[in-house]
Amino acid sequence: MPTHRQATNAIAHLRHLARLDASGPELIAPVLASLHALIGFESSGYFHPGAGGELDVHMEHPAVQAAVPDHFDPRILASEARVFHNVLQHGDDIARHPRGPQSLAQMLRVPAAELLRSDYYNVVMRPAGVADWLSLPLRAPHGPAVGMLFLFRPEGARPFGATELATLARLEPCLARVLWAGGVEAADGEAVREGVLVA
């Protein structure tokens, strides 16, 4: 659990990033550094629309990055669709996810025991050491999908809870503004207003 000072500094850093003249998925590393100070997680992933509607993927941990090609295998995609309410296979899938953060349990359409027997779990999640996650779909102020953030915890770690869900929910507009590739001009007025209030 972060100290009050660590949490304050992390939030201030995220707000600073939202006021920069540049935004987009290339800022994911400083975003994750701030989130580590707010929410304890082992590793993370960020999926965002790339060229031709395909997904571009950034994984923080090499073992999780190594599992990315397996995620897009047709057999694994089919397994994912069987165990989760919403899947993440193409760039436009981000907009189909419900707004706000969701826990792994909220995303499951099957009991946890069935997830553990699935190809998706045994080919993607287990080798990457992922036992629990939080997800957060990010959208631009007027609709377009920005990306989807995942925070991962390993086997034996404390499950994500309501406090972490609430923290991500509060940060959603700021995170979307920072990571939106086309967001500088549209978000400029809001960022300036925030700056004036701070001053």
Side-chain angles (χ1 to χ4, degrees), residues 67-84 108 110-128 130 133:
V68 169
D70 293 326
H71 175 265
F72 294 103
D73 178 276
R75 179 176 61 96
I76 303 308
L77 292 175
S79 176
E80 179 188 24
R82 280 192 297 275
V83 296
F84 293 109
L108 282 176
V110 298
E114 192 170 332
L115 169 68
L116 297 180
R117 291 190 299 270
S118 71
D119 288 339
Y120 182 83
Y121 179 83
N122 286 294
V123 171
V124 176
M125 291 177 67
R126 187 192 302 273
V130 174
W133 74 45

Side-chain angles (χ1 to χ4, degrees), residues 83-86 101-112 115 125 131-135 159-161 165:
V83 296
F84 293 109
H85 290 293
N86 296 290
Q102 285 199 304
S103 67
L104 175 61
Q106 290 172 310
M107 294 180 74
L108 282 176
R109 68 165 66 225
V110 298
L115 169 68
M125 291 177 67
D132 192 20
W133 74 45
L134 285 184
S135 68
F160 288 109
L165 282 160

Side-chain angles (χ1 to χ4, degrees), residues 22-43:
S23 65
E26 63 275 4
L27 293 176
I28 189 62
V31 164
L32 293 174
S34 293
L35 288 176
H36 271 291
L38 285 170
I39 301 169
F41 56 94
E42 178 75 15
S43 67

